[in-house]
Amino acid sequence: PRVAICFPSARDYGSTEKRLAESRAAASILGAGPVEQWDGGDLVERMREIDSRVKPTRVFAPSENASHPEHVAVARAAATVFGDRVTRFHTYAADGVKIRDGELVPFAPEWAAMKRRALACYRTQLAHPRAKRFFADDLAEYIDP
C-alpha cells in the first residue's frame, strides 16, 4: 500500500520532516510504502493525479465524522475522486476521544505487536500534551460499514 500524507505538520505537532520520517518508519514496519508528503493545496487535483497514475482499487481516508478540519477536507476530497473505492476510518472527536463508531476492524493477534512497534515510531505524538492521551489508546480501529 502507498501512503499520502495530505497536509504538512503544523503548530506544536512536530516538524513536517520529523513527522514524515516517523510515518516512513511506521510504514516500513507495516510493509507499506512509498510514503508521499503533500503541502495541502488542491487535494482533489492531487488525488486525481494519484488515481490516474496508480489506479487504486481501494483507498482509505478519514471519515467526515472527525473534529480535525484537515481530516474532514481529506475525507471530502477522497469521496469526490475515489467514490465507492473509499473505505472511511474513524479518528477522534474534538475532546480527543477516539471515535468508536461504525464497524470494528478485526485483526490477527500477531498484528498487535507490529502495530505497537509502528505506533512507537511517532515520538512526536506520544510526547504531545494533547495527542498522547489518545494516540496509542488501544488497538481497536473502526471503519464505516
Side-chain angles (χ1 to χ4, degrees), residues 3-8 19-20 23-24 35-40:
V3 178
I5 303 166
C6 300
F7 288 92
R19 293 287 302 280
L20 177 58
S23 294
R24 286 184 170 148
V35 177
E36 295 181 35
Q37 172 69 62
W38 300 349
D39 59 0

Side-chain angles (χ1 to χ4, degrees), residues 6-42:
C6 300
F7 288 92
S9 185
R11 298 177 303 278
D12 60 345
Y13 284 96
S15 74
T16 296
E17 295 76 22
K18 182 173 271 198
R19 293 287 302 280
L20 177 58
E22 292 171 341
S23 294
R24 286 184 170 148
S28 177
I29 289 169
L30 299 172
V35 177
E36 295 181 35
Q37 172 69 62
W38 300 349
D39 59 0
D42 187 341

Side-chain angles (χ1 to χ4, degrees), residues 96-109:
V97 173
K98 188 173 193 169
I99 296 172
R100 299 175 188 283
D101 190 18
E103 183 178 303
L104 179 62
V105 177
F107 63 90

Side-chain angles (χ1 to χ4, degrees), residues 4-134:
I5 303 166
C6 300
F7 288 92
S9 185
R11 298 177 303 278
D12 60 345
Y13 284 96
S15 74
T16 296
E17 295 76 22
K18 182 173 271 198
R19 293 287 302 280
L20 177 58
E22 292 171 341
S23 294
R24 286 184 170 148
S28 177
I29 289 169
L30 299 172
V35 177
E36 295 181 35
Q37 172 69 62
W38 300 349
D39 59 0
D42 187 341
L43 296 180
V44 169
E45 183 58 35
R46 298 294 298 263
M47 290 182 191
R48 283 190 176 129
E49 188 276 324
I50 290 257
D51 195 26
S52 171
R53 180 170 41 96
V54 178
K55 298 175 183 33
T57 57
R58 187 170 188 190
V59 174
F60 288 89
S63 168
E64 283 191 49
N65 179 15
S67 64
H68 199 297
E70 291 174 352
H71 293 180
V72 174
V74 171
R76 290 179 178 159
T80 297
V81 175
F82 302 109
D84 62 2
R85 293 178 284 164
V86 176
T87 297
R88 291 163 184 82
F89 60 87
H90 291 277
T91 57
Y92 54 88
D95 58 3
V97 173
K98 188 173 193 169
I99 296 172
R100 299 175 188 283
D101 190 18
E103 183 178 303
L104 179 62
V105 177
F107 63 90
E110 60 271 17
W111 295 352
M114 185 184 336
K115 181 173 180 182
R116 285 188 179 103
R117 282 194 316 275
L119 286 171
C121 294
Y122 291 95
R123 296 190 185 282
T124 57
Q125 301 307 288
L126 294 168
H128 190 274
R130 292 180 308 279
K132 70 181 178 182
R133 291 183 310 132
F134 61 84

